[in-house]
Amino acid sequence: MAKKGNEKSKTEKKKTDQKEDDDFQYIVRIANTDIDGGKKLIHGLSSIKGVGRHMSTFIIKKTGLDVNQKMGYLSEKQINTIGKAIESIQDEAPKWMLNHQKEYETGEDIHIIGPQIDLRLRDEINIMKKIRSYKGIRHERGLTVRGQRTRGNNRKGLTLGVSKARARQ
């Protein structure tokens, strides 16, 4: 008789899990990024390009959500509040937290999110090439930019490694 009781509780658990799964979203879209619904909120937000762990904790605290909540259980209202918080992060976050300080053209501190990061980086590298700065020249030649050694590492081309001396006849 104990077995029948266990079987009923298992079927009841399955039914409650199915009800919870009805509300669960496997993919959540925030800031033009698809996020896995199985991730916790802090890790899910950090998968958006331009939002790291510190920034995601800042956003979660601003919106007043639970850090350990999974992304898939967020309601539409909560997703919209997170989206608005990400859009207005430039005004609310401290300057040291922003990812683009002292912009080249305006000198402002801004926070860039999504594909704009790649576009901005490409533009800045092209500016460095135009003004013929040291970093720009290194970018043009495909060499290391930040002072790394190039003798042992960063080898490209046909001759790599030590070649064996051919046996003389």
Side-chain angles (χ1 to χ4, degrees), residues 35-68:
I35 303 170
D36 181 22
K39 290 185 176 181
K40 288 187 178 180
L41 198 57
I42 193 166
H43 297 294
L45 289 179
S46 64
S47 65
I48 298 172
K49 193 163 192 171
V51 178
R53 278 190 125 166
H54 284 290
M55 190 60 77
S56 64
T57 54
F58 181 79
I59 292 168
I60 292 167
K61 286 180 182 178
K62 273 290 190 200
T63 55
L65 297 173
D66 182 24
V67 178
N68 294 322

Side-chain angles (χ1 to χ4, degrees), residues 77-152:
K77 184 179 177 184
Q78 291 172 330
I79 292 171
N80 290 335
T81 56
I82 290 173
K84 289 177 184 175
I86 289 174
E87 288 174 6
S88 66
I89 201 71
Q90 180 171 315
D91 303 327
E92 298 171 3
K95 291 183 179 182
W96 60 267
M97 228 178 196
L98 303 177
N99 64 2
H100 202 81
Q101 298 170 359
K102 294 183 183 176
E103 185 188 10
Y104 180 75
E105 295 171 359
T106 61
E108 296 177 356
D109 298 331
I110 59 174
H111 192 81
I112 305 170
I113 295 172
Q116 294 176 346
I117 293 174
D118 296 329
L119 294 172
R120 189 67 59 116
L121 180 65
R122 200 174 321 125
D123 290 343
E124 289 176 354
I125 290 172
N126 287 334
I127 290 170
M128 284 190 274
K129 289 177 185 178
K130 280 182 185 176
I131 65 173
R132 305 299 293 167
S133 70
Y134 180 78
K135 285 175 72 173
I137 293 168
R138 301 291 284 187
H139 273 292
E140 279 181 354
R141 295 181 181 169
L143 297 171
T144 58
V145 177
R146 298 184 180 180
Q148 296 94 333
R149 293 177 172 257
T150 56
R151 183 173 178 182

